[in-house]
Amino acid sequence: MRNAGFLWLMVGVLLLASVLRIYHLNLQGLWGDEGWSVEFSESANPKDVVRALVPDLHPPLYFMMLALWRDVAGNSEIAMRLLAVYSALLTVAILPHLTTNKTAGVIAALVLALSDKHVVLSQEVRHYPTAFLMMAVCSWLFLRWLKQPTRQNTLLYAISIIASVYIHYYTALILFVQLLYTLVKCHKRIYALFLMMALSMIAFLPWTFVAWYQLLIRPEGILHSMPLSWDTLEYLSVDFLGRPPILLLSLIGLSLGHLKKRQTPYLYSLLWFIVPIIITILVYPFVTVLTDRNMALLLLPIAILAGQGALWLEPRGRWLLAAIITINGVASLDSYQIHPPWRELATYVAEHYPANETVFMDVRGGDKALRYHLTQLLPADTEIVSVNQLRLDYGIYFLGVWEQYLQQNEGFWIAYWVNENEHWDIAPRMEQAGYIRTATYRTYHLGKPIELYHYDKLPTLDEVVALFGGTIRLHRVKYPSVVTTDTLPVSLWWSSVEPLSVSYSISVFLLNEDGQLVAQQDGPPQDGNAPTTQWQVDGIVFDIHTVDISHLPVGQYRLAVKVYDSATGQILQTSAEEEYFVVDIIDKK
């Protein structure tokens, strides 16, 4: 293949890879692990990143990179995920350098570009695409060093070793691959290689103590590790090889034909495929590290071996194969992860958020992702509390801390991911503390309900902000003083002095600076579910009205409430003999 043809084909492959990774990049909100990445990279100060990672299971370099990236690109989901996209595209571009034939390189790059697993990982705020990129770079520089051990190649290779291990511990497996490959191909350089690796790892020595501590506090390894079973093998084979797996397996089998001589460079890709599997199985009884994400490093050698296997076909057969791989890759979906609806929950809270209320999260491992979305949508001073973190921080004293929060708030939202094994029924405690549930929103993730509750503390009868017609009392009005969404939620608490024979309507509206009516929402209390004719004397009634303000320009508006008989138009005047009660000034941003 000529250089010009190779260049144009690689441009096409990279464009295809870009489209697949950028398409729907923002379709789903962040999920739990992405929330951890965001929290660890909140500060651009390396010391803060290191402190945050000490009780975790990861090295710090990726999170430092992400923190710097966020300073430049911003904190949106798309901006943060682009770091993974660019890492993935660079990996696709480097892959041909790990083959000795341009045709094999193009097909290898095509296989990786179309890998659904690689696409999924490339659309997350996680370190895996960056780790795989460093493994590819480290492999490329290693093969260069083995061929030409110049000072420059030695330095670049040593830097790649250090960077790789500081990004993800699992990248260290490539060093075992390189040692074994050197032992087979060029055993005279094994001592020089081992010495260089040892000297390079001196740079990792300061973090070694942290890594050892991380292992001590989590000796079992990764909690969500997969079992060592045939079911796992079947799942990973589809996840990595796609459907039908036999297509890439056949090409990998054909690539073995290049191993008639053990000195051939094809041995490196084969070792890259085999060694991580063997090491993972060997350490599994001691540290469980078998996850689909860790093992996704096999995507690179799979692609390389598939490209090399294609060389056994005739030229026309190779391009026919490339067409089949492309059509199958674009038309099928073999790996996909459905994220919990944290962004949707945060949006719902933002659209129905009364001012100055705490938002609680009891959503297991999703609290950091949900916190990110809440922080993006709610006012900056909003208190967002993880109930699970309170349990960890206070242990047996948790309920006492929870009671303090209840005493300090008149209302709050709480997101609750139902756990069948640890069900926490908060309703009785809320009733004891004088709260009632005033809103419920339910959604599902993989069949499991995620619930969002709003609780309000009942006002006392003495707490009156306005009196209409001498008979209807308005006890409390809750609303956001600063609005950044297209709707204005207004919560109202009513009671009546005497039985009411008329079904009154409530009007919640906005006036501009000239006193003109610019937005309103009218209707009976609770959309007709609590008509005033059914109110009990001195019984507190909760009501909520949502005013559409999407058409209003940025500015300040007066929020007002009116009570009237929709049948006759009769207005109940306030005690100040006004037709409506002005609540406050709101600011639309």
Side-chain angles (χ1 to χ4, degrees):
M1 181 185 296
R2 296 180 179 179
N3 290 334
F6 169 75
L7 178 61
W8 283 111
L9 286 172
M10 281 303 301
V11 168
V13 170
L14 286 171
L15 285 175
L16 175 62
S18 301
V19 170
L20 292 175
R21 284 153 181 80
I22 295 175
Y23 179 68
H24 279 171
L25 185 60
N26 197 39
L27 178 64
Q28 299 192 93
L30 301 188
W31 70 289
D33 282 9
E34 288 182 284
W36 284 89
S37 296
V38 172
E39 181 168 293
F40 289 150
S41 60
E42 284 292 341
S43 173
N45 188 333
K47 291 183 180 178
D48 295 335
V49 176
V50 169
R51 291 192 189 99
L53 284 168
V54 167
D56 195 64
L57 282 174
H58 297 101
L61 184 55
Y62 166 77
F63 302 99
M64 293 179 182
M65 293 169 57
L66 180 58
L68 294 174
W69 176 260
R70 291 171 65 181
D71 283 346
V72 176
N75 289 316
S76 69
E77 295 139 277
I78 290 180
M80 292 188 292
R81 285 169 174 169
L82 278 176
L83 181 59
V85 171
Y86 294 147
S87 297
L89 295 179
L90 286 173
T91 306
V92 174
I94 288 175
L95 219 57
H97 293 281
L98 302 179
T99 64
T100 56
N101 184 285
K102 293 177 181 178
T103 301
V106 171
I107 295 178
L110 179 65
V111 170
L112 186 62
L114 291 165
S115 169
D116 288 327
K117 187 67 175 182
H118 199 251
V119 171
V120 168
L121 297 177
S122 304
Q123 294 186 324
E124 296 181 348
V125 190
R126 295 296 286 159
H127 43 199
Y128 297 101
T130 309
F132 301 157
L133 169 62
M134 289 310 306
M135 295 182 84
V137 170
C138 187
S139 298
W140 179 31
L141 294 174
F142 162 72
L143 294 174
R144 283 184 55 183
W145 173 84
L146 204 60
K147 186 177 181 180
Q148 295 179 334
T150 63
R151 182 179 299 177
Q152 179 181 356
N153 288 342
T154 301
L155 179 60
L156 291 174
Y157 174 47
I159 293 174
S160 71
I161 293 175
I162 298 168
S164 297
V165 182
Y166 265 110
I167 284 177
H168 196 289
Y169 295 136
Y170 228 62
T171 59
L173 294 183
I174 203 66
L175 303 182
F176 293 96
V177 174
Q178 293 166 358
L179 284 169
L180 187 57
Y181 178 75
T182 304
L183 187 64
V184 174
K185 178 177 173 57
C186 190
H187 64 275
K188 293 181 179 180
R189 292 199 184 150
I190 188 67
Y191 297 108
L193 177 64
F194 186 80
L195 179 62
M196 183 169 56
M197 287 183 176
L199 292 174
S200 299
M201 294 303 290
I202 291 177
F204 189 73
L205 189 60
W207 188 258
T208 303
F209 301 100
V210 178
W212 180 251
Y213 173 76
Q214 291 174 338
L215 183 61
L216 289 178
I217 62 175
R218 295 192 182 183
E220 72 283 355
I222 302 174
L223 296 178
H224 53 273
S225 177
M226 306 174 75
L228 199 61
S229 65
W230 288 109
D231 289 339
T232 297
L233 176 62
E234 181 180 2
Y235 171 80
L236 293 180
S237 64
V238 174
D239 210 28
F240 296 165
L241 299 173
R243 291 187 179 91
I246 192 64
L247 179 60
L248 291 185
L249 278 177
S250 299
L251 292 175
I252 293 173
L254 287 175
S255 71
L256 299 179
H258 294 289
L259 296 174
K260 294 180 180 180
K261 296 182 179 180
R262 65 180 183 177
Q263 292 86 357
T264 60
Y266 303 106
L267 177 63
Y268 185 83
S269 302
L270 185 62
L271 292 175
W272 190 351
F273 180 76
I274 295 176
V275 170
I277 296 176
I278 295 176
I279 292 179
T280 300
I281 293 174
L282 290 177
V283 303
Y284 188 88
F286 309 100
V287 181
T288 54
V289 292
L290 177 57
T291 70
D292 57 330
R293 292 165 178 271
N294 283 344
M295 297 307 295
L297 65 90
L298 299 178
L299 294 173
L300 277 66
I302 287 173
I304 296 171
L305 290 171
Q308 293 167 170
L311 296 180
W312 286 98
L313 303 176
E314 294 295 327
R316 290 183 179 180
R318 298 171 189 172
W319 302 123
L320 177 60
L321 173 67
I324 293 173
I325 291 175
T326 302
I327 294 172
N328 183 65
V330 172
S332 62
L333 185 64
D334 305 309
S335 180
Y336 188 72
Q337 179 176 346
I338 300 176
H339 296 184
W342 303 135
R343 182 166 59 189
E344 290 75 9
L345 259 67
T347 301
Y348 187 87
V349 171
E351 291 176 347
H352 302 81
Y353 178 73
N356 304 319
E357 287 192 348
T358 302
V359 179
F360 292 97
M361 307 174 297
D362 191 11
V363 292
R364 292 181 273 173
D367 53 356
K368 299 184 188 305
L370 179 55
R371 179 188 297 276
Y372 164 81
H373 289 294
L374 289 169
T375 302
Q376 293 295 106
L377 297 172
L378 298 179
D381 59 348
T382 304
E383 184 179 22
I384 304 171
V385 180
S386 169
V387 176
N388 186 55
Q389 192 62 48
L390 289 180
R391 291 192 186 99
L392 295 175
D393 292 342
Y394 294 97
I396 60 175
Y397 303 104
F398 158 70
L399 291 179
V401 176
W402 177 252
E403 294 294 338
Q404 291 180 6
Y405 273 109
L406 296 184
Q407 295 173 9
Q408 297 169 1
N409 287 271
E410 289 185 346
F412 59 87
W413 283 101
I414 179 167
Y416 180 48
W417 194 347
V418 178
N419 188 332
E420 296 176 355
N421 299 323
E422 299 177 3
H423 185 68
W424 183 45
D425 188 1
I426 63 174
R429 292 187 177 276
M430 299 301 99
E431 293 175 1
Q432 293 174 6
Y435 284 87
I436 64 170
R437 186 180 299 177
T438 53
T440 301
Y441 175 79
R442 171 175 287 191
T443 185
Y444 292 86
H445 175 62
L446 301 179
K448 299 293 184 180
I450 300 177
E451 296 173 342
L452 186 63
Y453 305 134
H454 187 268
Y455 280 93
D456 273 292
K457 184 175 289 186
L458 286 169
T460 63
L461 292 175
D462 296 333
E463 184 182 344
V464 179
V465 296
L467 181 65
F468 296 86
T471 57
I472 295 181
R473 293 174 291 206
L474 178 59
H475 295 280
R476 183 185 298 162
V477 184
K478 298 174 70 173
Y479 54 92
S481 57
V482 179
V483 187
T484 57
T485 60
D486 291 336
T487 57
L488 171 65
V490 180
S491 298
L492 307 166
W493 296 86
W494 305 95
S495 72
S496 62
V497 177
E498 58 187 34
L500 301 173
S501 59
V502 177
S503 180
Y504 289 102
S505 290
I506 310 299
S507 179
V508 178
F509 56 94
L510 296 178
L511 303 173
N512 62 15
E513 294 179 353
D514 298 327
Q516 297 175 328
L517 178 67
V518 292
Q520 71 181 113
Q521 199 279 326
D522 289 23
Q526 295 184 17
D527 292 328
N529 293 317
T532 56
T533 53
Q534 296 182 8
W535 288 7
Q536 300 295 320
V537 175
D538 292 338
I540 302 295
V541 178
F542 171 76
D543 186 22
I544 186 169
H545 293 259
T546 302
V547 184
D548 180 10
I549 58 173
S550 59
H551 61 287
L552 296 183
V554 172
Q556 292 186 331
Y557 301 89
R558 285 188 294 166
L559 172 64
V561 177
K562 179 172 65 175
V563 180
Y564 66 98
D565 183 352
S566 58
T568 64
Q570 178 189 3
I571 298 174
L572 294 187
Q573 290 190 335
T574 67
S575 54
E577 298 185 352
E578 299 287 345
E579 291 188 348
Y580 54 83
F581 169 66
V582 177
V583 179
D584 198 0
I585 302 295
I586 68 162
D587 191 4
K588 182 183 180 183
K589 295 293 188 180

